[in-house]
Every structure is written in structure tokens, then in C-alpha cells.
Amino acid sequence: MAAFTRNVLTGLITTVPIVLTFYLLYWLVVSAEAVLGGVLTRVLPADWYRPGMGVVTGVALLFVVGVLMHNYVVQAIFARGEQLFYRIPLVKMIYPALRDFMDYFSPVKKKEFQQVVVVTLPGGLKALGLVTRADMERLPTGFNDSDSLLVYMPMAYMIGGYALLVPRRDIAPVDMGMEEAMRFILTAGVTGGGAGAP
């Protein structure tokens, strides 16, 4: 019975991430087609619409938004409008968390996470972190020690994290990509193992 249970759990652990990944992709495709496809059927002549045009339109819209967000004026307008989400009750509790999570995968934000490092904590404990700022000049007085780096220490399972000012002597670079480090940290070390990991 123990062997049966162990094999069932192994099968579950193996298949659930695959199923959830494909289900998420399926949900995104179906949602895009349902919303944008419905709009297209009302806008286009009856004979023009074909299944899948909603998904293609969604990808095209995302591409256009991505291009526009490289424009300084659009960025400023978006930033000003985004401030509303930080003031609306309930929304301000959800939106920042989702925004921060998506920023982990942003090609722009990746430049800000300059280096994956291991931080030596009191007692000899070590933790992985992401250097978010090496230039301390623009930080508030008292928090701009030039002998330190600002390191973001995410907590497991996306519960939160800390921005710590860490002395350079307590920091050592790690040969690990940001994505690998985030997987390692967010799953409490269950997945990921740095360079050379399977």
C-alpha cells in the first residue's frame, strides 16, 4: 500500500504542473477568443470572422501595448493612470501584488535585478537575494551607505519579501540566472539548483 501511495503521489507531482500549465494556456486562449472574438463578430462583416481571430487580435494588441510602453510619454501617462489602482479600496490590495509578480518576468525589470547573490546572515545563515540597486546616492539619507548594496530577499511561495541594505562584505555573487533563482526561492528550494542543475 505504501508503494502504491508513493507512486500515485509521484504521478500527481509529475502531472499536475503540466496539466495546470496547459490549462492556463487553454484558459487564456479561450478567454481571448470569447471576448475579442465576440467583439470582432459585431464589428466585422458576417463572412469575415474565422475562429482564432480573437486570439490573433489579442496577441496583436499585446504587441502594440508592448511597443507603446517603450515610449516615454506613454510610460508617463500609464504611470499617472496606474496611481488610481493604488487608491481604490480592495483594488489597491490586489493590484500591487499582481504587478510585482509580473515584474519578475519583465525584460525591463530584469535589468534592475542586477545580480543573484548569497547573503550571509548573523549566525552564519545564508540566503539568496537579488541586487536591485548598487548606486546608493539617490536613496534617503541614512539609507545610502556606499559600502552596502540594496538586496531584495523574496520569501517562499510569493508571500512577500524584504528590501535590505546589506554590507558588501556579507554578499557574494552566485552563478545563477534570475529565473532559476526565483524558482528556487519561491518554491523554498524544492525546484531549481543553479548552474548545471537538471
Side-chain angles (χ1 to χ4, degrees):
M1 189 63 183
F4 175 79
T5 303
R6 183 172 63 252
N7 287 330
V8 169
L9 287 175
T10 302
L12 191 66
I13 292 169
T14 302
T15 57
V16 165
I18 298 172
V19 171
L20 290 179
T21 298
F22 281 103
Y23 178 77
L24 178 60
L25 292 174
Y26 169 79
W27 177 80
L28 288 172
V29 168
V30 170
S31 299
E33 186 63 29
V35 175
L36 297 175
V39 173
L40 291 175
T41 55
R42 289 191 292 271
V43 174
L44 297 175
D47 296 337
W48 285 25
Y49 176 77
R50 294 290 182 274
M53 290 179 67
V55 176
V56 174
T57 303
V59 173
L61 287 174
L62 291 176
F63 177 78
V64 170
V65 170
V67 170
L68 290 175
M69 286 305 295
H70 286 89
N71 182 282
Y72 176 77
V73 175
V74 175
Q75 288 179 3
I77 294 172
F78 178 80
R80 187 177 292 269
E82 190 179 37
Q83 293 304 312
L84 295 174
F85 288 95
Y86 292 93
R87 297 174 184 169
I88 301 173
L90 189 60
V91 174
K92 67 181 180 182
M93 298 172 60
I94 301 172
Y95 179 77
L98 293 175
R99 187 82 164 102
D100 290 343
F101 179 75
M102 295 307 295
D103 279 345
Y104 289 135
F105 306 99
S106 168
V108 176
K109 292 294 183 180
K110 283 179 185 177
K111 296 176 183 177
E112 297 180 4
F113 293 98
Q114 300 168 4
Q115 174 70 55
V116 180
V117 295
V118 61
V119 178
T120 302
L121 303 171
L125 300 175
K126 296 182 183 294
L128 283 177
L130 305 169
V131 176
T132 58
R133 184 185 293 270
D135 180 11
M136 301 291 108
E137 293 181 0
R138 294 170 56 188
L139 293 178
T141 303
F143 201 67
N144 56 354
D145 183 5
S146 60
D147 293 327
S148 299
L149 297 176
L150 194 61
V151 180
Y152 177 62
M153 310 284 288
M155 297 172 67
Y157 301 104
M158 208 49 208
I159 296 174
Y162 301 95
L164 304 177
L165 194 64
V166 183
R168 293 176 187 267
R169 65 177 180 274
D170 294 329
I171 297 174
V174 177
D175 184 16
M176 181 184 288
M178 195 193 80
E179 292 87 355
E180 185 71 21
M182 290 306 301
R183 282 199 302 271
F184 185 83
I185 295 169
L186 296 180
T187 62
V190 174
T191 63

